[in-house]
Amino acid sequence: GFHQRALIPHHVFGADLVTVLLWDTPTTMSVIDADQLDDWSADFEDLLPVAIDNLEELPDSGWTSIYKQVYASLDADDYAGARMLRPGYLDSTGLSGELVVLHPNRCTLLVMAVDDARGIAKACERVFEEIGAPSPVSLRPLVGRPGRWRPLVVPPSHPAHEMWQRLGHLNDQMVHNSLRKPLQNLLGQDVVVAGHDIIEGPDGAYRSVTTWTEGVPSLLPRTDLISLVNEWGSITVPWDEVRQAVGPLMEPTEHASELWRVVDFPRPQELTRLRHRAGA
């Protein structure tokens, strides 16, 4: 399997974000792995407080308002997000209660109050402007307080709902694509790591889709939809419908990013039932 996270000591920060240790010098920066900790006869729990103390030595440039009480960190030294580990850092915005944070890349950190619906929408707009910037981190908004972060969920009536939904899909796609090529190189040509695409439906909602092709053993990322392709054409069916109809053909793996192994293809009668479910 491809268990990169297992090789790098970390703590879960929130959702798909983790805290790792970095070895930072004037000329290089590298993640500290388990072998390095063994060489030092140290463990992650002992060194993390030291790393946070080192963050205290970094100068702060403060915050700027990008929209009313939506604040962006002025620190552009690759440690904008890491400063969230420092006690009291987010409090310096003057915001109280539960906060929403967005950390799309290492130089960008956005903070606002959870009840600031319009502010969350403005922050999501800003994140779309940051897509493609160097050193991506996460496009998924988190809500909570330091040490207690969880994924932000907004209802359909929220002004940021459409952007929040699309950012979630784009984030999943970004994570999958970052692992797809090295995993494919590791596996060789016997198994294909399937793609993760995003489509806009007739209702305007964005959905993720992967492709399961007959005769091609594959690893499928977990998506909203599966496009089943053979020489007769293709049908696109919700993931849960496919699992219900042909579940035994889909084997879960232990990869850090959720992947499902498929070798055999659904039989013609199963495809017929799925076609009816897809409305085709």
Side-chain angles (χ1 to χ4, degrees), residues 37-107:
L37 290 181
D38 288 342
D39 288 344
W40 292 342
S41 299
D43 57 46
F44 184 91
E45 287 71 21
D46 289 338
L47 290 185
L48 181 59
V50 176
I52 295 174
D53 286 342
N54 290 340
L55 288 174
E56 295 284 358
E57 299 178 6
L58 294 175
D60 287 343
S61 299
W63 303 90
T64 184
S65 171
I66 65 168
Y67 174 79
K68 296 184 178 179
Q69 289 190 298
V70 179
Y71 297 100
S73 170
L74 288 171
D75 298 300
D77 57 3
D78 281 347
Y79 289 102
R83 284 177 172 83
M84 285 192 286
L85 297 172
R86 290 171 41 177
Y89 177 68
L90 294 179
D91 293 333
S92 64
T93 61
L95 298 171
S96 60
E98 286 203 316
L99 304 176
V100 173
V101 297
L102 278 155
H103 186 27
N105 55 67
R106 292 192 61 175
C107 292

Side-chain angles (χ1 to χ4, degrees), residues 168-185:
H169 285 314
L170 287 170
N171 188 73
D172 292 341
Q173 183 185 54
M174 179 178 72
V175 171
H176 178 71
N177 287 344
S178 71
L179 297 174
R180 186 182 180 188
K181 184 176 180 179
L183 178 54
Q184 189 67 72
N185 290 339

